[in-house]
Amino acid sequence: MILGIVGSPRKGRLTDQLVTMALEGTESTWTETKKIYLVNFDIKFYSERSKVCPEELSKLCEEADALVLGAPVYWGDINGLTKDFMDTVRISNANGKYALGIAIAGGTGKGLCSAIQSIYHFFYHRQLRGVDPTPVSRFNFQKALENLYQSGWK
């Protein structure tokens, strides 16, 4: 199963559309997919009292064969909800599991480089095999949708 993770709190919007397109590419190969929204989980920021995200969310990530993680860019980097997820999720069996990262910035597209780096640093440190980094802005949105379908298919 391929797990699509939408880091935006706004369902149906750009981040959601991009993750959906990658999952549609995956589904075209008859592979099972599941999409979740981080906003539906009680994810706390990392602290001494709260070091892990909800067990159900970590379990979904562990059971998945690969991950697609999409995050919007707020103020030059990924949004806080996605960052809190990355700081607290537990994936004990991630060694070599494929992961595709998507960052989308509105307006001028500033912050895309920092955001995509944050996602792929997370993949690296969690021993996920990052593939096809996808920075997206209004200037390449349509092309990114096409590319994500292909990435999902691969």
Side-chain angles (χ1 to χ4, degrees):
M1 182 262 300
I2 309 302
L3 181 64
I5 303 167
V6 179
S8 174
R10 298 171 21 182
K11 295 178 182 178
R13 300 299 300 224
L14 299 177
T15 306
D16 191 0
Q17 292 172 35
L18 293 161
V19 171
T20 298
M21 186 58 71
L23 294 178
E24 285 178 9
T26 300
E27 290 167 353
S28 72
T29 67
W30 305 102
T31 302
E32 181 186 353
T33 66
K34 180 179 180 85
K35 182 169 60 171
I36 61 168
Y37 298 90
L38 293 181
V39 72
N40 291 344
F41 295 88
D42 185 24
I43 300 171
K44 307 275 191 226
F45 64 90
Y46 183 90
S47 70
E48 286 303 314
R49 289 188 318 234
S50 176
K51 293 183 179 182
V52 295
C53 74
E55 186 176 328
E56 175 188 2
L57 183 52
S58 289
K59 185 176 180 186
L60 284 169
C61 292
E62 285 200 1
E63 291 173 352
D65 298 310
L67 304 176
V68 175
L69 175 60
V73 176
Y74 296 168
W75 297 102
D77 209 337
I78 58 170
N79 65 326
L81 178 60
T82 304
K83 178 68 170 119
D84 290 341
F85 160 75
M86 292 182 341
D87 285 345
T88 59
V89 68
R90 296 295 174 247
I91 309 172
S92 62
N93 62 345
N95 193 17
K97 187 180 291 194
Y98 285 100
L100 168 67
I102 306 163
I104 178 157
T108 63
K110 290 182 179 178
L112 274 178
C113 291
S114 298
I116 208 73
Q117 282 181 325
S118 291
I119 293 169
Y120 280 78
H121 280 144
F122 164 70
F123 292 165
Y124 172 77
H125 289 288
R126 294 298 176 100
Q127 298 179 352
L128 295 159
R129 185 176 298 172
V131 296
D132 295 347
T134 309
V136 183
S137 72
R138 63 188 170 112
F139 303 109
N140 72 332
F141 184 81
Q142 289 304 319
K143 184 67 175 167
L145 284 172
E146 296 168 22
N147 291 343
L148 284 167
Y149 185 89
Q150 292 302 315
S151 293
W153 179 83
K154 288 193 284 186

